[in-house]
Amino acid sequence: MNLKISIPKGCSEDIIFSLPFDLTEKGELTKGHLCADREKIYIYGEDGLENAFEIKKYYSFEVFRQSGCSMIRGRLRENSKWQIFCCFTQTHFVRFAELASILDYYAKTGVFSEKSDAPEANCPKCGIKLRSEGAECPFCIKRAGVARRLVSRLMSYKKYFFASVIMSIVSYAASIVSPSLYRIVVDEVNKGDTPNMELFFTIAAVIIGLSVLISLVDGFRWKIDVRLSVNFIRDLRKELFDKIQMISMRSFARRTSGDIIRRVSDDANALKNFLTGQGKAMILNVVALITISVIAISVNWRLALLVLVPMPVAAILAQKIMRKINGLYGRWWRKVCNSSKYLNDIISGQRVVKSYGSEDRETERYADISGQVASAYSKAECTWYLLYPILRYILAAGEMLMLYFGASMVLDFRITLGEFVQFTGYASMLYGPMEWLMQLPRALSQAMVSAGKIFEIIDEPIDLDDGENAAEMEIKGDISFENVSFGYTAYNPVLKNISCDIKQGEMIGIVGHSGVGKSTMINLIMRLYDPTSGSVKIDGVDLRNIKAESLHQKLGVVLQETFLFNGTVFENIAYAKPDATFEEVVKAAKIADAHDFVTRLPDGYNTYVGEKGYSLSGGERQRVAIARAILRDPKILILDEATASLDTQTEKQIQTALNRLIKGRTTIAIAHRLSTLSSADRLIVLDKGKVAEVGTHTELMGRKGVYYRLVMAQRTTAAIKEAANA
């Protein structure tokens, strides 16, 4: 969480956290800041420092929530009384609750956690939630910096880009000649007693030739534009997808799949359209505006001034309009994201929706969300279309002045009718780029929002990258935890100072109450996360010094939540080994006791399992996942509730197959039914985030400790269920 929002003037540079508060203890509105360093909490009001409290005098901190407001307070060591530090409205509740947890952890452990991985970081300007500490707000990010990055990215395709720009300029230059030809037709063709038809047909032929040239040039430019667009969007989406594959599970937890898909799809496409479309058109229109202005001035500088004078006024007003609509399009983008997230959740959870008969309710909710999207978009568009005519009227004023004084000059014989026709032609060509550039703020605002969201992904740090000394190695299977502590937030550790050794070829069961950290230990072995402190080693080497690819090639995993891709049974099993032969896949399926049911499917191994494997039962999906792990032929096998979805009879069959599989492999297993782990070489019992006991099933039952109580509680529950079913 980004608690370092702003530090009041005159505050110490040692301040670690700073949060604004907006209420006094009497409930009156105010403007203040609560700041904290490693020793004190400082309360700054509108007139400066008002109070300071020594942290060491308190042994507990909390946020106390009341109706309409909340307060952060600490309990004094001296007399256990509560001391209120400041009060605030519910807008600030989440951030103060985070700070209270950090201070409470510091008071109890002496460790001041300056870093938090909670997802509730907020932009100090607009208040929108950010994904991580230090992340830039996509709506408040400096536009100039984003624009420079976009230009540098476009330069990777400069050959196509400048070829398209040059062809556009050639096409536009050909069209510039037309007003001069019109002047000749008006002034010269009808000069004298009889029309000069030879000159007329010559000019007509030139105009037709220019039209053909423009068509040919535009045709080649279109082909180049298509190639530029295709290459740009392909490379951008690939870069985004590659980065998504590299970021950690911690980062994934901060986003929904709908949010990520929107960035790769819609935002990337919006950016492509702007850079390869409006971006190129912007250069062309600026060049055209300058060129036509010079020509118009050379033809008649008096009339040209009448046309050009309103331009600075229109430019200043356009800048102010851009500031207004930036926020409106930003709000619309957020509404669209919320709609995508909701749609993704509902589509993924259709079974739950239908089970509870909530179709009508969800339809109403989606209609409401869609209405919010439509309202936000309508407000942004209507605001633009209400403000845009003002710019058009300003330019129209110059046009009217030009027509009035130009007609007067013709009547006074100061210019010819042909010169006036020529100038009006250039004036109309001048207004085209001007009007296009005035509409640029809307397109620019939309593009900047999309660019900010894309760069947020691209710039996200990779917190699980291979270390500088990371190397490939042949993994044997020895695993050791050395003083490992881990928490998704540093002040709330899940594992506390874990130390244990797992020998090559051992079958280890990890047991404990729900939420005690069993799956977290497995996640650390797979290096989905790094320990907060301590180290996890394989064959004596810290995981951070082993290349991720080398590690994962030797891991076989069957998780509690089985995931199958939308492909065939064969493809899902072969995912662990893409070059596997059909015979190898069948062998793995037989070991996993999956072959019999697969052969009964309509197309056997070529049967499509559907999205997430919905066409298979839970037990069938689990057996396909087990076959996938078997095909990997791993040195380390991880089973997280691998038989949880199977009935008792099938579980026994799978357990027999797994017993054959685990021979010679280091196996770490978690199982809900403790009886399935009774044959493990050793059991590691976790309690309150620590290793409580280690030993065989028989040894631990004899000690009558934590494991004994777990087994007895499970047996009692099973007996009650049997009695109820009898």
Side-chain angles (χ1 to χ4, degrees):
M1 173 176 291
N2 185 7
L3 298 177
K4 304 176 186 179
I5 290 185
S6 58
I7 297 178
K9 185 177 180 181
C11 191
S12 168
E13 294 182 358
D14 296 329
I15 291 298
I16 299 174
F17 299 120
S18 174
L19 283 176
F21 62 87
D22 50 10
L23 291 176
T24 66
E25 290 188 35
K26 295 181 180 180
E28 299 172 346
L29 290 176
T30 186
K31 290 183 179 179
H33 271 79
L34 180 148
C35 303
D37 58 20
R38 296 180 182 277
E39 296 180 356
K40 293 183 179 181
I41 295 172
Y42 304 91
I43 303 299
Y44 285 84
E46 297 182 34
D47 298 325
L49 181 64
E50 294 182 351
N51 216 331
F53 305 92
E54 291 188 43
I55 296 176
K56 66 181 181 180
K57 291 184 178 181
Y58 303 86
Y59 67 86
S60 179
F61 293 86
E62 70 171 26
V63 165
F64 181 66
R65 193 166 195 165
Q66 301 183 100
S67 177
C69 69
S70 299
M71 63 181 70
I72 184 171
R73 62 186 187 177
R75 191 184 288 273
L76 287 161
R77 296 180 185 275
E78 185 178 59
N79 52 21
S80 294
K81 291 184 177 181
W82 288 106
Q83 169 69 59
I84 298 173
F85 302 121
C86 68
C87 301
F88 44 87
T89 57
Q90 306 303 347
T91 304
H92 304 292
F93 178 83
V94 173
R95 285 174 284 174
F96 270 103
E98 184 81 359
L99 179 58
S101 298
I102 293 171
L103 291 172
D104 191 69
Y105 182 70
Y106 180 53
K108 291 177 171 60
T109 66
V111 178
F112 211 140
S113 172
E114 297 185 34
K115 180 179 179 182
S116 169
D117 298 305
E120 296 88 359
N122 291 74
C123 172
K125 290 185 178 180
C126 68
I128 186 175
K129 288 184 179 181
L130 302 178
R131 297 299 176 185
S132 60
E133 182 178 356
E136 289 187 284
C137 175
F139 307 108
C140 300
I141 190 173
K142 292 183 179 179
R143 308 293 174 181
V146 175
R148 282 194 296 270
R149 292 189 64 176
L150 292 178
V151 171
S152 64
R153 180 172 291 274
L154 195 57
M155 287 303 99
S156 300
Y157 313 90
K158 57 185 176 184
K159 180 175 69 174
Y160 296 119
F161 182 78
F162 286 117
S164 178
V165 170
I166 291 171
M167 287 188 176
S168 298
I169 292 174
V170 170
S171 175
Y172 200 80
S175 65
I176 289 176
V177 179
S178 298
S180 297
L181 297 176
Y182 297 152
R183 180 187 64 79
I184 295 174
V185 171
V186 173
D187 287 347
E188 302 298 333
V189 170
N190 292 305
K191 190 176 183 180
D193 297 332
T194 58
N196 188 344
M197 298 307 296
E198 181 180 354
L199 178 61
F200 175 79
F201 286 117
T202 301
I203 293 175
V206 172
I207 291 175
I208 293 173
L210 287 173
S211 298
V212 172
L213 175 63
I214 291 171
S215 298
L216 291 173
V217 171
D218 285 347
F220 283 113
R221 177 180 56 80
W222 179 79
K223 289 185 177 181
I224 292 173
D225 286 346
V226 169
R227 183 166 294 183
L228 172 62
S229 298
V230 168
N231 289 344
F232 180 87
I233 194 69
R234 178 199 64 200
D235 295 343
L236 179 60
R237 284 178 174 164
K238 182 179 182 301
E239 183 178 355
L240 278 170
F241 187 81
D242 290 347
K243 185 58 181 283
I244 289 168
Q245 298 306 304
M246 295 171 68
I247 60 180
S248 67
M249 292 302 298
R250 196 189 303 270
S251 297
F252 269 107
R254 298 175 185 143
R255 299 180 174 91
T256 65
S257 55
D259 183 21
I260 294 175
I261 290 171
R262 175 170 172 76
R263 299 189 195 207
V264 177
S265 178
D266 296 350
D267 287 331
N269 195 56
L271 203 56
K272 180 266 294 182
N273 290 337
F274 178 79
L275 287 180
T276 61
Q278 289 102 328
K280 178 173 64 64
M282 180 173 61
I283 295 175
L284 177 62
N285 280 284
V286 169
V287 172
L289 187 63
I290 295 172
T291 304
I292 299 298
S293 298
V294 172
I295 294 175
I297 292 172
S298 66
V299 171
N300 192 309
W301 65 271
R302 293 179 180 84
L303 293 179
L305 285 179
L306 294 175
V307 175
L308 297 174
V309 161
M311 287 180 59
V313 178
I316 293 172
L317 186 59
Q319 179 66 22
K320 292 184 177 181
I321 291 175
M322 184 175 178
R323 293 174 184 171
K324 173 69 176 176
I325 65 174
N326 272 344
L328 295 177
Y329 280 114
R331 279 190 283 274
W332 166 70
W333 192 98
R334 294 195 290 272
K335 296 292 184 183
V336 171
C337 276
N338 289 336
S339 174
S340 299
K341 293 174 185 177
Y342 175 77
L343 191 61
N344 179 74
D345 284 345
I346 293 304
I347 291 175
S348 301
Q350 272 300 296
R351 179 175 293 182
V352 176
V353 173
K354 293 186 181 300
S355 298
Y356 284 88
S358 302
E359 294 91 340
D360 292 340
R361 183 176 63 190
E362 298 302 342
T363 299
E364 291 177 5
R365 286 181 63 189
Y366 186 69
D368 178 60
I369 292 173
S370 297
Q372 293 179 26
V373 173
S375 176
Y377 183 72
S378 176
K379 186 174 182 180
E381 289 289 284
C382 288
T383 301
W384 168 252
Y385 283 113
L386 285 173
L387 296 176
Y388 172 70
I390 299 174
L391 301 177
R392 186 66 187 85
Y393 295 148
I394 293 174
L395 295 181
E399 187 177 9
M400 294 300 295
L401 289 172
M402 180 270 295
L403 290 173
Y404 174 78
F405 286 104
S408 300
M409 290 180 179
V410 172
L411 294 174
D412 293 340
F413 300 102
R414 284 184 285 171
I415 60 173
T416 66
L417 179 60
E419 289 174 335
F420 183 59
V421 170
Q422 178 189 19
F423 188 85
T424 55
Y426 284 128
S428 63
M429 295 178 72
L430 189 65
Y431 281 119
M434 289 171 63
E435 290 184 7
W436 189 94
L437 290 171
M438 284 192 303
Q439 295 189 55
L440 182 62
R442 179 177 59 163
L444 189 61
S445 294
Q446 294 172 334
M448 290 299 103
V449 171
S450 293
K453 303 304 288 183
I454 287 173
F455 289 147
E456 181 186 313
I457 292 281
I458 292 175
D459 295 341
E460 183 155 339
I462 303 172
D463 51 2
L464 288 179
D465 200 7
D466 289 336
E468 294 182 3
N469 300 321
E472 294 185 3
M473 61 175 286
E474 281 295 326
I475 292 175
K476 297 177 181 178
D478 288 325
I479 303 173
S480 62
F481 283 72
E482 296 182 0
N483 302 315
V484 170
S485 294
F486 174 80
Y488 298 97
T489 54
Y491 53 81
N492 187 23
V494 178
L495 298 178
K496 305 171 185 177
N497 201 31
I498 296 287
S499 292
C500 61
D501 293 314
I502 301 172
K503 298 178 182 179
Q504 178 186 352
E506 271 193 310
M507 164 64 172
I508 297 295
I510 302 178
V511 300
H513 293 289
S514 178
V516 78
K518 302 186 296 293
S519 294
T520 300
M521 282 189 70
I522 286 176
N523 289 337
L524 292 176
I525 294 173
M526 294 188 291
R527 209 193 168 205
L528 299 183
Y529 302 92
D530 277 338
T532 306
S533 62
S535 63
V536 180
K537 296 181 178 181
I538 290 183
D539 298 336
V541 180
D542 193 308
L543 288 183
R544 286 165 284 205
N545 293 325
I546 302 175
K547 285 193 174 182
E549 184 179 1
S550 177
L551 170 66
H552 293 136
Q553 282 180 348
K554 301 301 181 182
L555 286 177
V557 182
V558 181
L559 300 176
Q560 181 177 359
E561 297 179 5
T562 302
F563 182 88
L564 299 184
F565 295 96
N566 187 11
T568 65
V569 174
F570 179 89
E571 290 169 342
N572 272 281
I573 296 176
Y575 188 80
K577 187 180 178 183
D579 59 347
T581 64
F582 182 76
E583 289 73 17
E584 289 176 316
V585 170
V586 171
K587 181 180 178 181
K590 287 180 177 179
I591 296 174
D593 197 31
H595 179 72
D596 290 343
F597 89 78
V598 172
T599 55
R600 291 194 297 269
L601 295 173
D603 295 317
Y605 283 89
N606 291 321
T607 301
Y608 280 85
V609 300
E611 185 178 4
K612 297 182 180 179
Y614 76 91
S615 65
L616 303 180
S617 69
E620 289 171 343
R621 288 197 298 269
Q622 200 77 330
R623 279 180 275 183
V624 170
I626 292 171
R628 184 163 59 194
I630 291 169
L631 184 63
R632 188 81 166 196
D633 192 21
K635 294 292 185 182
I636 298 174
L637 182 64
I638 293 175
L639 307 173
D640 187 355
E641 301 282 5
T643 59
S645 301
L646 308 177
D647 56 69
T648 305
Q649 183 62 34
T650 305
E651 182 184 12
K652 290 179 179 178
Q653 297 172 0
I654 296 298
Q655 199 63 50
T656 301
L658 289 176
N659 289 337
R660 294 195 301 267
L661 173 65
I662 64 178
K663 290 181 180 179
R665 293 181 174 85
T666 304
T667 305
I668 300 99
I670 298 173
H672 175 69
R673 288 190 282 268
L674 297 178
S675 58
T676 61
L677 298 177
S678 59
S679 61
D681 295 322
R682 284 187 299 150
L683 297 173
I684 297 175
V685 184
L686 298 181
D687 186 41
K688 298 179 180 179
K690 297 181 179 180
V691 175
E693 299 172 329
V694 178
T696 65
H697 169 76
T698 304
E699 291 172 347
L700 295 178
M701 289 298 290
R703 295 178 191 174
K704 295 188 177 182
V706 176
Y707 179 75
Y708 174 82
R709 291 192 293 273
L710 288 171
V711 172
M712 297 310 294
Q714 200 167 93
R715 288 178 179 175
T716 301
T717 303
I720 293 173
K721 287 183 179 179
E722 288 180 6
N725 295 330

